[in-house]
Amino acid sequence: MDDYPLLNLFLTMLYLFLWVMWFFLLFKVITDLFRDHSLNGWAKAGWLVLVILLPYVGVLIYLIVRGRSMHERDDKLAKDSEAAFRDYVRRAAGPEGGSGGSGHVNDLAKLAELKDKGAINAEEYEQAKAKLLA
């Protein structure tokens, strides 16, 4: 390790970090490019050729020209995902049960309550429960 000074090790780590960061930016630009619905196919192909043939310059130009709209698309995607998740949770936890999960649970609870009160006997309870679960 004596023939590789600490400064060279630091510079090597810095170059590796910058290289990984550039790959992250490249993939972010390419995914943003294909996610954008306002561009037509030729514009997407042009940006992709620029980013692939002139990688560093192409990514920097893309960030300068389309950076603000890139942020807006990311914001919209995050808001749409959150809204879809909230809607899913609302449907799944709602009183009607969404896909039927908690609706059956509520019906079974009502049947058990009727059996406990004596309104139905054990045989009627089992028949209604079998019908409900079928």
Side-chain angles (χ1 to χ4, degrees), residues 111-129:
L111 280 174
E113 185 180 327
L114 287 173
K115 183 181 139 196
D116 291 341
K117 286 182 180 177
I120 59 173
N121 61 21
E123 183 181 326
E124 291 172 333
Y125 171 75
E126 290 299 326
Q127 287 176 350
K129 184 172 103 173

Side-chain angles (χ1 to χ4, degrees), residues 21-119:
M21 285 294 292
W22 178 80
F23 266 114
F24 175 76
L25 267 175
L26 178 68
F27 290 131
K28 181 76 174 156
V29 164
I30 290 174
T31 56
D32 181 69
L33 189 60
F34 285 109
R35 196 174 26 176
D36 186 12
H37 299 293
S38 65
L39 289 178
N40 62 15
W42 288 107
K44 288 180 183 183
W47 276 112
L48 193 61
V49 166
L50 178 69
V51 165
I52 289 174
L53 291 182
L54 299 171
Y56 294 105
V57 175
V59 167
L60 288 176
I61 291 172
Y62 187 88
L63 290 175
I64 290 168
V65 172
R66 299 183 47 84
R68 181 178 303 262
S69 62
M70 188 175 176
H71 170 70
E72 291 167 358
R73 280 186 295 281
D74 281 343
D75 255 4
K76 184 181 181 313
L77 180 69
K79 287 178 184 175
D80 290 347
S81 296
E82 184 177 354
F85 175 72
R86 288 181 186 269
D87 184 48
Y88 169 75
V89 169
R90 191 176 302 112
R91 282 186 288 121
E96 70 278 351
S99 61
S102 65
H104 290 308
V105 171
N106 290 337
D107 292 341
L108 284 173
K110 289 176 186 174
L111 280 174
E113 185 180 327
L114 287 173
K115 183 181 139 196
D116 291 341
K117 286 182 180 177

